[in-house]
Amino acid sequence: MGEIVLPRRMFLWCMAVIYLAAFVSLYVQIPGLYGNEGLLPARWQLRYSGKPLGEQLLTSPTLLWLGPYLGLDTHNAMELLCLIGAALSLAATLVEALRDSVVFFCLWALYLSMYQVGQVFLYFQWDNLLLETGFLCILVAPLTLIRGSRGVREHDRVTFWLIRWLLFRLMFASGVVKLTSRCPTWWGLTALTYHYETQCIPTPLAWFAHQLPVWWQKLSVMGTFVIEIAVPLLFFSPLRRLRLGAFYMQVLLQVLIILTGNYNFFNLLTLALSLSLLDDQHVHFWLRKADKITNNDSKLWSWLCYLLELAVWSLIIFGAVMCFDLQLDTTKKIVSSRIAFTYHHFNQFLKTVTIPCIWIGDSSCVCKPSYKLTSCIILFKSIYIEFDSNARLWPGVRRAYDLVDRYQLVNSYGLFRRMTGVSGRPEVVIEGSNDGVSWTEIEFMYKPGNLSAPPSVVTPHQPRLDWQMWFAALGTHTQAPWFTSLMYKLLQGKRDVIELIQTDVSQYPFHQQPPAYLRAHRYRYWFTEPKADGTYPQRWWRRVYDEEFYPTVHLGNTFLESMLNQYGLKDKAPPRRISNTTVAQAVRWVRSQVRGVPAPILIWTLIVCSTTLCLLLGLQNRSKCTTLSDHTENLPDSSDHCGKSGEQQAVEEEEEAEDGEGSEDEVEEGEGEEKDTVGDEEEDEAQEKEERGRGRRQERKR
């Protein structure tokens, strides 16, 4: 494997940007979700029992325990931690020196603190993935803030393999669980005929993707299986072109998902993980820079590599044709496909390939044995979750998993295990009324509701209430206790909760007076279809009524009160006095400045501005390096450091320092000899200067 200095720097920069988006996205939703008048107040999760701070941190590892020491309640403490995380990640985006192990440890600890009290609104796989990847950043990033340039050597290329191992676990498990779930839509290759309209928050392009013919949708499902199951096996290939091919196929899949669905920072995080498949040589190819690495391989070896790569890709194509029974129908001009293997065959494939992959991943990461062991456990756990083999794990393996589970260091993944909404997309619509006769629908900013409203584009923001509304529609309201809290807060007219539905409160139909009555119905939604003449319809959606989701309630309603008491959603604690400390006032001032600003606009403004500044700084440094090289190109002993990263220069400086320290004794021993030869050396230098001058004069005459 070639040098990976540039991919590592790109990965750390991308992680700083993703942390920035995650913290800002969560920050704008804290009052409505976790505030003192929010849906699920975070202070309910922290019980101050008088125990020492160390015991409290071990019981629930969150920095929110420090809130009382700063004179902050839990709500303001959460906002403060989010602001610190956003500021640190923004600084790390702009300054390379801050992409350090210490900074990434702080970012990981801050997000973990939010996760510990986040409850159902933070229990998503991408939150777990961010915490696990963030922990790996602590291992991958250089440790320079504390130890200086000597910390660079401790983070060698081996630690970067952990990122590739995580990428393999994520993609391979995501592909496998689709088949181990025995979902008929995945086995019938028809999942994408439902996916685009049934996903949580589709984009406008999802409407057009949904109109593609069925045979193309089936081919797309086949391509998904190939990219998620077969291609990840190439991540550990010793041939770099196979790894690069795997990289571009992962990028293709993630870009298509981004274009057709809003999955917050999840796909961006997967793209960042995919950078582990690159090397400096390929990044230089992107930048159109000449690579200094010379290829000393013989022509025979190069041809053998080409033939082996061709054989691998041919095997993947042949396997896809055979496993999915691809046939070209020239009369209909389509490519038919179906799964030609059984569940038993796939199970045998898993048993054959999983153990070698674990050993390959384990042998390729010769450091951090505790992390490797736990990663292997979770790979087993995520793949064989429906098999009896999971029950036969070693007791020591189970104990290791339980040890790190609290800190979300390693997690199991398996996205889109089953396709929902086969009979139509279920959607909960809340209606309000002041007289109980005329009802007005309460429209959310992002989730489908209004039939004429186009789908939203909110990436990388995650509207967590909209996401939970999608999950709630798949079951009953008793399976989503927070929904009762939502109805109660809307009846009370709580502004923080209303801003989760409409950032611009004036767009909320009951912004002047809270509704006297609320109810919720479930509908079935489908994308509309183009008209017979090929023109597009005026509406994006069509729907039919399904059933009542939540009965009509009002303040003081018996049913509502019983639900609140049953789920413990009524706050019996006395109202807390507002803190007037300097920190609390600063936190409230920042909140007043961003209130009313849509989260996607706020996030993209920060990302675009920080990226622009990074580009300008890079161009400025490049111009400085060009000017410096023009002045120093005639100096025989000048060295060019412009194209080297800070890590490379730090390593070289350390090596020079060590060489200098190691040669001190030799210098002292040779001082006497040097004194004797000073005169001779000066005479030689004078003669050399005279010869150089004569040569220059002769050249000028010529």
Side-chain angles (χ1 to χ4, degrees):
M1 185 176 70
E3 294 294 330
I4 46 89
V5 174
L6 294 179
R8 182 170 64 179
R9 294 170 65 192
M10 293 168 60
F11 169 74
L12 294 176
W13 184 86
C14 290
M15 286 303 302
V17 173
I18 292 170
Y19 264 126
L20 174 63
F23 278 114
V24 175
S25 175
L26 182 58
Y27 170 76
V28 298
Q29 302 176 81
I30 285 177
L33 295 178
Y34 307 114
N36 295 328
E37 295 183 346
L39 298 179
L40 298 175
R43 56 189 172 84
W44 293 353
Q45 301 298 310
L46 299 178
R47 303 297 180 184
Y48 295 93
S49 57
K51 295 181 179 179
L53 180 61
E55 278 188 45
Q56 291 176 329
L57 288 174
L58 289 176
T59 304
S60 179
T62 173
L63 297 176
L64 294 175
W65 293 113
L66 302 175
Y69 297 91
L70 299 174
L72 301 175
D73 60 6
T74 306
H75 172 197
N76 288 331
M78 287 190 72
E79 292 194 351
L80 177 61
L81 293 185
C82 266
L83 288 174
I84 294 174
L88 271 179
S89 53
L90 180 61
T93 302
L94 297 174
V95 183
E96 183 179 4
L98 294 179
R99 287 168 225 152
D100 179 84
S101 291
V102 176
V103 174
F104 278 108
F105 173 78
C106 294
L107 293 174
W108 174 79
L110 290 169
Y111 203 80
L112 179 65
S113 299
M114 302 292 104
Y115 181 87
Q116 294 297 324
V117 298
Q119 303 167 76
V120 68
F121 293 107
L122 267 172
Y123 291 167
F124 293 98
Q125 290 197 40
W126 33 85
D127 293 309
N128 296 333
L129 181 62
L130 179 58
L131 285 171
E132 182 171 353
T133 310
F135 179 76
L136 290 182
C137 288
I138 303 172
L139 306 178
V140 173
L143 184 62
T144 56
L145 289 181
I146 296 178
R147 302 190 59 184
S149 61
R150 293 182 182 272
V152 175
R153 281 189 173 180
E154 297 181 3
H155 300 271
D156 53 22
R157 68 178 64 180
V158 178
T159 56
F160 203 51
W161 275 78
L162 295 172
I163 305 298
R164 188 179 302 182
W165 174 240
L166 174 57
L167 175 66
F168 171 78
R169 283 176 38 223
L170 172 65
M171 300 308 301
F172 189 69
S174 297
V176 164
V177 296
K178 293 178 174 62
L179 294 176
T180 57
S181 66
R182 305 192 186 188
C183 177
T185 61
W186 287 116
W187 279 91
L189 301 182
T190 59
L192 290 184
T193 60
Y194 308 103
H195 166 72
Y196 296 114
E197 67 180 2
T198 61
Q199 59 184 322
C200 179
I201 305 177
T203 66
L205 286 179
W207 187 92
F208 296 93
H210 181 73
Q211 313 303 328
L212 295 173
V214 175
W215 68 269
W216 181 263
Q217 306 281 25
K218 288 187 173 183
L219 281 181
S220 300
V221 175
M222 183 210 71
T224 301
F225 283 137
V226 171
I227 294 176
E228 291 186 343
I229 298 178
V231 173
L233 301 177
L234 303 179
F235 292 173
F236 307 109
S237 170
L239 302 177
R240 64 182 297 270
R241 280 189 292 266
L242 289 179
R243 298 195 304 271
L244 294 178
F247 166 78
Y248 283 108
M249 296 186 78
Q250 300 303 319
V251 170
L252 174 64
L253 177 62
Q254 299 306 319
V255 169
L256 291 176
I257 295 175
I258 291 173
L259 293 176
T260 57
N262 291 282
Y263 292 95
N264 48 80
F265 54 80
F266 170 67
N267 303 110
L268 301 179
L269 189 52
T270 307
L271 288 173
L273 292 173
S274 300
L275 295 174
S276 62
L277 302 174
L278 300 179
D279 54 21
D280 285 1
Q281 182 179 351
H282 197 68
V283 177
H284 284 149
F285 169 76
W286 285 351
L287 301 175
R288 297 295 187 268
K289 288 185 177 180
D291 195 80
K292 299 180 180 180
I293 299 177
T294 57
N295 188 3
N296 297 323
D297 297 336
S298 63
K299 291 185 177 180
L300 177 61
W301 176 252
S302 299
W303 276 105
L304 288 176
C305 291
Y306 278 118
L307 291 176
L308 183 57
E309 292 163 1
L310 181 62
V312 171
W313 291 118
S314 300
L315 180 62
I316 291 178
I317 295 174
F318 176 77
V321 172
M322 297 302 296
C323 292
F324 296 95
D325 193 20
L326 298 182
Q327 296 182 1
L328 178 63
D329 190 338
T330 56
T331 58
K332 297 181 180 180
K333 296 183 180 180
I334 64 172
V335 178
S336 63
S337 58
R338 68 177 183 86
I339 290 184
F341 54 87
T342 64
Y343 182 81
H344 174 72
H345 293 151
F346 185 68
N347 189 19
Q348 292 299 320
F349 164 77
L350 287 183
K351 292 180 178 179
T352 303
V353 78
T354 302
I355 298 298
C357 286
I358 289 178
W359 283 113
I360 291 174
D362 185 75
S363 60
S364 63
C365 303
V366 296
C367 64
K368 311 298 179 185
S370 59
Y371 181 86
K372 291 188 301 176
L373 176 61
T374 314
S375 298
C376 298
I377 302 164
I378 299 304
L379 182 61
F380 271 125
K381 193 177 183 65
S382 59
I383 293 176
Y384 289 104
I385 194 169
E386 298 187 17
F387 292 85
D388 293 336
S389 58
N390 186 45
R392 295 196 295 268
L393 290 175
W394 303 328
V397 168
R398 289 184 177 277
R399 287 194 296 270
Y401 172 72
D402 294 337
L403 181 64
V404 301
D405 184 47
R406 179 184 304 174
Y407 302 98
Q408 305 301 316
L409 301 185
V410 187
N411 305 277
S412 59
Y413 304 100
L415 301 172
F416 303 111
R417 180 186 299 271
R418 290 184 175 274
M419 192 55 57
T420 59
V422 176
S423 59
R425 173 197 181 94
E427 199 67 58
V428 174
V429 177
I430 301 176
E431 298 176 346
S433 173
N434 289 321
D435 54 12
V437 178
S438 60
W439 295 86
T440 303
E441 292 187 5
I442 297 177
E443 185 178 350
F444 284 64
M445 282 186 295
Y446 308 119
K447 83 177 191 68
N450 188 345
L451 301 180
S452 301
S456 305
V457 178
V458 299
T459 301
H461 172 57
Q462 182 185 359
R464 296 182 181 270
L465 178 59
D466 295 65
W467 268 88
Q468 285 301 329
M469 288 289 291
W470 180 77
F471 282 108
L474 301 176
T476 63
H477 71 84
T478 57
Q479 296 173 318
W482 59 265
F483 191 84
T484 296
S485 179
L486 174 63
M487 301 290 278
Y488 182 58
K489 300 297 181 180
L490 292 180
L491 287 171
Q492 292 179 320
K494 299 299 184 182
R495 180 184 174 91
D496 291 339
V497 176
I498 293 173
E499 288 183 346
L500 295 176
I501 299 175
Q502 289 290 343
T503 302
D504 185 1
V505 179
S506 63
Q507 300 297 320
Y508 181 68
F510 301 97
H511 65 278
Q512 294 181 347
Q513 180 182 358
Y517 302 92
L518 282 179
R519 68 184 184 186
H521 290 147
R522 179 165 30 219
Y523 290 83
R524 296 284 174 177
Y525 277 65
W526 294 270
F527 272 141
T528 54
E529 298 178 358
K531 298 180 180 179
D533 58 358
T535 59
Y536 297 135
Q538 295 181 349
R539 293 183 172 182
W540 293 81
W541 300 94
R542 62 185 179 89
R543 74 181 185 184
V544 298
Y545 178 79
D546 189 6
E547 61 181 347
E548 181 184 73
F549 183 80
Y550 205 90
T552 303
V553 293
H554 56 83
L555 291 178
N557 179 267
T558 305
F559 176 80
L560 179 61
E561 292 293 328
S562 63
M563 290 292 100
L564 291 173
N565 292 328
Q566 178 180 345
Y567 300 130
L569 296 173
K570 293 199 72 172
D571 195 354
K572 299 180 181 180
R576 286 167 170 75
R577 188 174 56 183
I578 298 177
S579 176
N580 289 321
T581 62
T582 304
V583 178
Q585 291 178 357
V587 170
R588 287 196 293 269
W589 180 83
V590 175
R591 170 62 60 184
S592 66
Q593 299 305 305
V594 301
R595 185 180 291 273
V597 181
I601 294 178
L602 181 60
I603 295 172
W604 277 112
T605 300
L606 291 172
I607 292 178
V608 170
C609 291
S610 59
T611 304
T612 303
L613 285 175
C614 288
L615 291 175
L616 292 177
L617 291 174
L619 292 175
Q620 183 180 7
N621 292 335
R622 185 175 181 179
S623 62
K624 287 182 178 180
C625 290
T626 303
T627 305
L628 181 63
S629 62
D630 292 339
H631 287 291
T632 59
E633 61 182 359
N634 295 326
L635 298 178
D637 296 331
S638 63
S639 59
D640 182 19
H641 295 286
C642 294
K644 298 179 182 179
S645 66
E647 297 179 10
Q648 289 175 313
Q649 293 183 22
V651 171
E652 292 179 0
E653 290 173 2
E654 182 185 357
E655 290 176 350
E656 292 174 1
E658 291 179 354
D659 293 340
E661 292 175 0
S663 60
E664 285 180 358
D665 297 337
E666 298 177 2
V667 171
E668 292 177 358
E669 292 176 359
E671 280 182 355
E673 298 178 3
E674 289 180 0
K675 290 178 181 178
D676 296 337
T677 58
V678 165
D680 297 337
E681 290 179 356
E682 291 178 352
E683 292 178 0
D684 294 339
E685 290 178 0
Q687 293 177 1
E688 290 178 0
K689 290 181 180 179
E690 291 179 2
E691 292 177 358
R692 290 176 188 166
R694 294 172 186 171
R696 290 174 182 171
R697 286 193 293 272
Q698 292 177 359
E699 289 179 0
R700 291 174 183 173
K701 292 178 181 179
R702 293 175 183 175

